[in-house]
Amino acid sequence: MNKPLCRISGQPLTKVVDLGRQPMGNGFLLPEQFSSEYFYPMEAGFCETSMMFQLIEQPAPEQMFHEQYAFYSSTSRFMEQHFAEFAQQVMQSGYLAKSDPFVVELGCNDGIMLKNFAQAGMRHLGIEPSRNVAEVANAQGVRTLSEFFAEDVAEQIVRTDGQADAFIAANVMCHIPDIQGVVKGIRTLLKPTGVVMFEDPYLGDVIEKISYDQIYDEHVFLFSAHSIQYLFNLHGMELIDVQPQKTHGGSMRYVLAHAGAYPVKETVAQLLQQELSIGLHRLSSYQTFSKNVEQSRSDLVNLLRDLKSQGKRIAGYGATSKSTTILNYCGIGSELIEYISDTTPIKQGKFTPGVHIPVRPYEDFKANPPDYAVLFAWNHAEEIMAKEKAFMDAGGRWIVHVPKVQVL
Ligand code: TYD
């Protein structure tokens, strides 16, 4: 194989993490599909020039985002509220034109965020390549195009709707291998006074919390302020603000604009400095991370085996994409985890990618709770703990793996 290159700088990538052979993170499947399941080597690399942490190989987007896409955003009440607040922030940011502003969201999924703009009567457009979720968005009054966004789509939107005041995205930008094409599209689509506001899981949190489960096929990049600044600078745009978020176990919201359009807030220099102080620019930090990931694997496997040998019943809570990374990297199957409970209908009755643990409806968890539940949806811990008092009162215990493997 040719030496892998950074998708941003074109410089050679240094391999820093190897999570083994992995299936699609969201590829929940039926037994008749087991024999044709797709696997690829999941390794991450780091580029010292762009400071971009990225997958070395990624399955084709069509393998991941299609009419059977299993991730619906509107499965968490906390996320509903989070996106309503994000929408309010955009509307009140002062960056939008006073009259008839136009907001475009990339990867609007089932419309969880954009419906707030639709309800406020604001001109909006969602772009969502997974047709099944795009249909849900359209059905609830969110105007949605089912396309992969790039410069040609941006030109088409400018012709039909004009330039945008705001280009927003949540947990989408880090999914796109041709991110340069997207940034070119954004530059075309955005008014001279327009802003980009997007958020994604933050690399600094992943390194500090050893949350290696944020690495999976869909997350081709894990961003930092440094890598985002490098990427957008290449296209005449600049980072003007950053705002840390609690979602997805630690995310960052980036605000960008055409270079010189707005003053750069102090928060940007502060975060850049903080990233240097935790060593996000150094290869050695990723090598340490890789060792921490190996330790996390042996701690989790040893804990589950130990509990199992004591005759305890263990289930998983939340059939997340993140759990696919953990289960396949650690080699944990239904011999250790009986089933995983999930509230998403499209996942229920199927099996988890790779290791084929059954996914059962939440009602099964309620009716027949295990002794221990591995909290794969650990990023929703607050919401879940609040609603699972009965499980805990009956002696049920949680297992988490971040920031270290432990029984709560
Ligand atoms: P999420 O952590 O957002 O996902 P991913 O790692 O896939 O990006 O997904 C949460 C999953 O957990 C989703 O499939 C729904 C499920 N879930 C429950 O089953 N119960 C709950 O109370 C919550 C909040 C989520």
Side-chain angles (χ1 to χ4, degrees):
M1 195 177 125
N2 294 335
K3 193 149 175 50
L5 299 179
C6 169
R7 293 171 179 82
I8 313 303
S9 69
Q11 299 295 313
L13 270 179
T14 305
K15 176 171 138 184
V16 286
V17 187
D18 183 348
L19 295 167
R21 227 173 126 257
Q22 291 274 349
M24 304 286 104
N26 256 315
F28 297 90
L29 72 180
L30 293 167
E32 56 268 31
Q33 298 168 307
F34 288 174
S35 61
S36 58
E37 195 171 8
Y38 179 87
F39 289 85
Y40 69 104
M42 196 167 81
E43 299 166 339
F46 181 71
C47 168
E48 287 177 288
T49 304
S50 66
M51 280 185 60
M52 191 66 88
F53 183 94
Q54 56 200 283
L55 287 183
I56 291 180
E57 191 179 310
Q58 193 196 28
E62 295 75 15
Q63 291 261 18
M64 299 180 281
F65 309 111
H66 42 62
E67 68 290 348
Q68 285 294 318
Y69 186 52
F71 185 80
Y72 286 76
S73 293
S74 300
T75 47
S76 151
R77 275 190 295 121
F78 178 84
M79 292 307 280
E80 288 265 358
Q81 193 187 331
H82 173 78
F83 289 126
E85 283 165 13
F86 189 164
Q88 282 307 318
Q89 196 200 359
V90 175
M91 287 189 245
Q92 291 160 9
S93 63
Y95 294 123
L96 305 189
K98 297 256 174 317
S99 115
D100 194 26
F102 176 41
V103 176
V104 175
E105 184 183 358
L106 183 61
C108 66
N109 198 276
D110 52 18
I112 188 169
M113 173 139 68
L114 216 46
K115 71 179 177 197
N116 295 285
F117 295 90
Q119 283 157 9
M122 196 173 277
R123 228 158 34 91
H124 65 275
L125 181 67
I127 304 162
E128 172 52 62
S130 296
R131 216 167 273 279
N132 57 332
V133 283
E135 274 164 20
V136 178
N138 272 314
Q140 54 174 336
V142 173
R143 202 178 137 230
T144 309
L145 264 185
S146 192
E147 297 272 9
F148 283 98
F149 181 76
E151 215 170 0
D152 55 338
V153 177
E155 282 163 3
Q156 180 196 322
I157 299 171
V158 173
R159 276 195 300 276
T160 53
D161 298 81
Q163 284 185 305
D165 292 83
F167 181 95
I168 59 177
N171 308 310
V172 169
M173 297 286 277
C174 73
H175 289 60
I176 306 176
D178 180 22
I179 189 121
Q180 307 256 26
V182 168
V183 179
K184 283 182 197 154
I186 292 176
R187 198 182 47 188
T188 302
L189 183 59
L190 213 59
K191 280 181 186 170
T193 52
V195 288
V196 184
M197 291 173 96
F198 73 89
E199 62 187 37
D200 280 293
Y202 178 55
L203 178 64
D205 284 297
V206 172
I207 300 299
E208 288 198 317
K209 296 178 183 152
I210 320 171
S211 46
Y212 68 92
D213 51 347
Q214 286 293 4
I215 306 173
Y216 57 91
D217 57 345
E218 295 178 20
H219 289 173
V220 62
F221 300 112
L222 286 174
F223 298 137
S224 62
H226 274 91
S227 59
I228 286 301
Q229 186 183 49
Y230 181 92
L231 165 65
F232 279 79
N233 284 352
L234 289 179
H235 300 279
M237 301 187 70
E238 67 182 354
L239 187 57
I240 58 171
D241 195 11
V242 284
Q243 300 157 2
Q245 306 293 319
K246 279 209 265 177
T247 47
H248 287 288
S251 297
M252 193 59 68
R253 185 173 298 165
Y254 304 94
V255 185
L256 300 116
H258 292 291
Y262 294 103
V264 177
K265 295 212 167 127
E266 189 51 31
T267 50
V268 173
Q270 284 165 357
L271 185 61
L272 290 170
Q273 186 48 47
Q274 195 179 315
E275 290 183 353
L276 296 180
S277 67
I278 62 168
L280 286 192
H281 59 307
R282 275 197 303 266
L283 272 178
S284 58
S285 308
Y286 300 94
Q287 282 144 2
T288 306
F289 171 68
S290 176
K291 295 235 163 355
N292 292 339
V293 170
E294 284 169 25
Q295 184 64 48
S296 175
R297 169 172 63 185
S298 35
D299 291 348
L300 182 61
V301 171
N302 290 340
L303 173 64
L304 297 183
R305 282 191 188 143
D306 190 32
L307 293 172
K308 204 69 193 176
S309 70
Q310 296 170 34
K312 303 293 184 196
R313 287 182 53 224
I314 310 167
Y317 196 105
T320 56
S321 334
K322 295 185 289 292
S323 67
T324 298
T325 296
I326 301 178
L327 295 167
N328 286 277
Y329 173 64
C330 299
I332 297 168
S334 51
E335 72 294 347
L336 289 174
I337 295 185
E338 210 175 294
Y339 67 91
I340 302 185
S341 148
D342 198 284
T343 51
T344 317
I346 197 173
K347 296 181 185 176
Q348 296 164 357
K350 292 191 176 156
F351 292 79
T352 65
V355 294
H356 305 158
I357 298 173
V359 181
R360 301 229 191 106
Y362 173 58
E363 291 65 36
D364 289 17
F365 179 88
K366 277 290 217 209
N368 186 14
D371 300 309
Y372 289 81
V374 184
L375 188 53
F376 289 122
W378 59 272
N379 45 314
H380 301 289
E382 224 173 283
E383 176 174 348
I384 292 171
M385 303 274 175
K387 76 175 179 200
E388 294 304 346
K389 288 233 169 332
F391 168 65
M392 295 183 277
D393 290 347
R397 309 282 303 269
W398 297 105
I399 295 172
V400 292
H401 77 291
V402 280
K404 64 179 179 98
V405 173
Q406 57 188 316
V407 177
L408 296 183

